[in-house]
Amino acid sequence: MSWHRKHLLDIESLTAEEILTVLDTARGFKAVGKRAIKKVPALRGKTVVNLFVEPSTRTRTSFELAAIRLSADVINFTTEASSLKKGETLKDTARNLEALNADFIIIRHSASGAPHFLSRVLDAHVINAGDGAHEHPTQALLDTFTIREKKGKIAGLNVTILGDILYSRVARSDIWALTKLGANVTLCGPSTLVPKTFEKMGCRVTYDVDEAIRDADIINLLRIQHERQRKTMFPSIGEYTQLFGLNKARLAKTKPDALIMHPGPINRGVEIDSELADSSRSVILEQVTNGLAVRMAVLFLVNGGKELHAAEAP
Ligand code: CP
């Protein structure tokens, strides 16, 4: 058991032991989720605020459900109906939520570093639910949880991340987590979206998609993040799909047990053939399921939780 952090801001600063502590704790919570009574009292009396200033389906919903399963009270902050629209700053917004006794602020924001900033000005626990193109730590934790669950290990596996790496917070968090846990990480996509400088993070960059996926145990696809691209990074979506999209012909040349992952949302027919997204090789929805257990584990650990059986006591 190795966890003494008040916040979860990124994967870069975590040790392999801390990552494994989250994964082991999440395994316990996944088992709790299969019981008739799925709730535990670990966060009874605590208030969790989902401060999502960018859209989300999976992350926001699973943090909400995780907090409910841990018996916390949950507030879902809606940007469109908030005083952010009247010019209130993020700091003032968060401090007002804290004045209403928020114990946890889960923040998604388009600005890289927003969670780190809040962690310096709040007493509440701060959890990063995605900050700009910087990091998405709980996505990396649920991805590594899923890989370990499906393959029985992470060290020594070949993981290929294919798509828009440059603008992807998921890619950065996944690279940190996977390399710390001993996986061999390959990045592939258009050269404009996969700069060679990523090799400094301990992974390999290639622009040959067939070579990138040939020996992969895991093929992790990323969507093109138009919302963060300030200029055209490739000629057309059609050309991207032709050159880098995962289709049946490409998949046929991979290991028969290679698994397809995607953090979602999927753009069907762009980075992946619609049929493949729903095939037995895809673990995309299992990733979503595992996100709940991982987010329960994160809330539990940052709150100072140590032993899962203690969390279960009435
Ligand atoms: N994977 C992910 O972060 O999805 P959402 O944007 O729906 O939360």
Side-chain angles (χ1 to χ4, degrees):
M1 182 75 176
S2 172
W3 190 275
H4 306 283
R5 290 173 190 266
K6 181 178 175 186
H7 312 291
L8 175 65
L9 302 177
D10 53 41
I11 298 290
E12 183 179 2
S13 66
L14 298 189
T15 63
E17 289 70 31
E18 286 172 313
I19 295 169
L20 291 172
T21 293
V22 179
L23 305 193
D24 290 342
T25 307
R27 189 158 49 189
F29 279 120
K30 188 162 179 181
V32 169
K34 289 181 178 144
R35 295 186 198 156
I37 296 171
K38 298 176 173 57
K39 266 181 127 164
V40 296
L43 295 190
R44 189 182 284 158
K46 303 280 183 181
T47 301
V48 174
V49 176
N50 271 326
L51 177 50
F52 278 58
V53 188
E54 265 195 350
S56 168
T57 296
R58 284 146 285 270
T59 313
R60 197 201 60 70
T61 310
S62 60
F63 264 120
E64 179 177 359
L65 195 50
I68 291 169
R69 292 266 173 94
L70 293 168
S71 305
D73 297 318
V74 190
I75 303 294
N76 287 311
F77 177 92
T78 314
T79 308
E80 293 306 314
S82 79
S83 291
L84 281 171
K85 289 282 161 199
K86 300 182 212 161
E88 189 167 33
T89 65
L90 177 65
K91 177 179 172 183
D92 284 336
T93 300
R95 291 188 72 192
N96 277 271
L97 294 168
E98 198 174 52
L100 292 165
N101 293 324
D103 299 293
F104 296 80
I105 301 283
I106 299 166
I107 176 156
R108 170 169 289 191
H109 202 283
S110 58
S112 296
H116 302 69
F117 168 69
L118 287 190
S119 73
R120 292 193 292 271
V121 298
L122 299 178
D123 289 327
H125 301 280
V126 177
I127 298 173
N128 182 358
D131 62 326
H134 174 231
E135 281 225 36
H136 190 346
T138 56
Q139 181 68 45
L141 292 167
L142 75 88
D143 287 348
T144 46
F145 181 96
T146 305
I147 293 170
R148 193 173 74 159
E149 185 176 62
K150 302 303 285 188
K151 296 288 187 186
K153 63 175 187 176
I154 293 171
L157 291 181
N158 297 327
V159 181
T160 294
I161 307 176
L162 175 58
D164 175 357
I165 310 289
L166 182 61
Y167 293 98
S168 172
R169 53 196 175 208
V170 174
R172 283 173 181 78
S173 288
D174 274 350
I175 294 166
W176 287 124
L178 290 162
T179 54
K180 283 171 195 271
L181 296 177
N184 308 310
V185 180
T186 297
L187 309 180
C188 183
S191 57
T192 47
L193 292 174
V194 192
K196 279 274 186 190
T197 49
F198 272 89
E199 289 188 339
K200 288 186 192 148
M201 294 176 75
C203 45
R204 185 174 76 93
V205 168
T206 177
Y207 304 112
D208 177 345
V209 65
D210 293 313
E211 186 267 320
I213 62 177
R214 189 178 53 219
D215 297 319
D217 299 294
I218 303 290
I219 304 166
N220 192 9
L221 303 172
L222 299 177
R223 144 187 100 81
I224 301 297
Q225 305 184 62
H226 297 288
E227 71 274 22
R228 285 197 270 281
Q229 294 180 9
R230 289 186 197 90
K231 55 185 180 180
T232 305
M233 305 301 285
F234 48 85
S236 71
I237 291 288
E239 186 174 304
Y240 177 86
T241 302
Q242 194 188 346
L243 292 177
F244 295 102
L246 189 64
N247 53 37
K248 272 191 194 165
R250 281 210 168 104
L251 192 66
K253 290 185 266 176
T254 64
K255 286 182 170 181
D257 60 349
L259 296 176
I260 302 168
M261 298 178 69
H262 194 307
I266 298 170
N267 287 142
R268 288 177 183 267
V270 179
E271 66 268 16
I272 184 168
D273 256 14
S274 188
E275 222 180 296
L276 293 187
D278 302 323
S279 72
S280 59
R281 300 280 288 272
S282 162
V283 294
I284 295 170
L285 291 178
E286 287 176 71
Q287 290 173 259
V288 178
T289 302
N290 291 335
L292 173 57
V294 162
R295 289 173 177 126
M296 287 177 79
V298 168
L299 288 166
F300 176 73
L301 290 169
V302 298
N303 190 50
K306 297 288 176 212
E307 300 295 336
L308 194 51
H309 60 76
E312 295 175 71

